[in-house]
Amino acid sequence: MNGDLGPIDEAGREESLKFDLVEDKLLQLYNEMISVALVKVFNKSDAQDAVQEAWVRILTNHHSLREQDKLHAWAKVITANIANDFNKQAKRVLPAGDLGAETRRFRDEYEIMLEINELLDALHPKARALLLYKFYYGYRDQEIAAALHVPVGTIKARLHRTKRRLKQWMFN
């Protein structure tokens, strides 16, 4: 016995890749549904509620979808209908041509967050982790260096190179 799991290990990797692919598709669908809901309702909270309700309806009525390749369109229509229902229940109507300042601001923030997420996903996992430790979790350079068992100068250099790379990507 050489410790090699052979076909079992390969099957596990293949299953993991399939799961990652499905997860990516579902995340893309969720983001599209949020965009649809934001156009229809006044605020972020209502948009998230509409998408959540849409997911419940999709999962409950998935058997009624005849063509699986139409899932995205079907989900967006359900989301739009639910968002419209939210507005009717609250007795409010979006003014034609004006999304409202709060909705516009949220859509801008949302688009920025999507762009940041795409840029972070393009980074090497170690570089992404460094940025998250520094700017999201708020760790100091010394704390990151101690946790990774590397000199503080190395952390500073890696952070600098990663920020420079992100800046180049943003402006290209």
Side-chain angles (χ1 to χ4, degrees):
M1 192 117 186
N2 63 2
D4 183 24
L5 295 178
I8 295 172
D9 189 35
E10 185 64 34
R13 266 190 255 135
E14 197 172 301
E15 190 68 28
S16 177
L17 289 173
K18 286 179 185 176
F19 179 78
D20 289 344
L21 182 62
V22 169
E23 185 180 27
D24 290 343
K25 287 182 179 181
L26 288 174
L27 182 60
Q28 178 187 359
L29 177 58
Y30 175 80
N31 289 333
E32 291 173 13
M33 291 168 68
I34 283 286
S35 295
V36 168
L38 283 171
V39 170
K40 301 285 183 182
V41 296
F42 283 104
N43 59 48
K44 175 183 175 182
S45 177
D46 285 348
Q48 291 171 332
D49 289 345
V51 170
Q52 181 176 353
E53 179 65 28
W55 275 108
V56 169
R57 287 193 193 171
I58 289 167
L59 293 173
T60 304
N61 299 319
H62 68 88
H63 60 281
S64 67
L65 179 62
R66 287 182 230 123
E67 299 176 44
Q68 293 299 319
D69 61 325
K70 306 282 190 210
L71 175 64
H72 281 247
W74 187 57
K76 289 189 240 179
V77 168
I78 290 172
T79 303
N81 290 339
I82 291 171
N84 287 334
D85 290 346
F86 277 27
N87 286 333
K88 288 177 191 172
Q89 290 171 355
K91 304 270 191 264
R92 57 184 178 207
V93 178
L94 277 174
D98 184 20
L99 294 176
E102 181 182 345
T103 303
R104 260 194 313 277
R105 182 181 57 78
F106 177 72
R107 289 184 71 194
D108 290 343
E109 288 176 10
Y110 178 75
E111 289 172 8
I112 290 169
M113 290 304 292
L114 281 178
E115 185 177 344
I116 290 171
N117 193 27
E118 288 173 9
L119 289 170
L120 287 175
D121 284 346
L123 286 174
H124 188 276
K126 288 182 180 181
R128 181 175 49 243
L130 275 178
L131 285 179
L132 291 174
Y133 287 144
K134 175 72 174 178
F135 299 106
Y136 185 76
Y137 297 113
Y139 289 109
R140 294 189 327 262
D141 294 344
Q142 295 82 1
E143 294 170 321
I144 298 169
L148 297 177
H149 308 292
V150 296
V152 175
T154 302
I155 296 299
K156 288 181 179 185
R158 288 177 183 172
L159 282 169
H160 177 74
R161 283 192 302 267
T162 302
K163 289 189 313 187
R164 186 178 58 217
R165 186 175 308 123
L166 280 175
K167 187 184 268 188
Q168 288 171 346
W169 288 349
M170 285 175 58
F171 293 112
N172 287 340

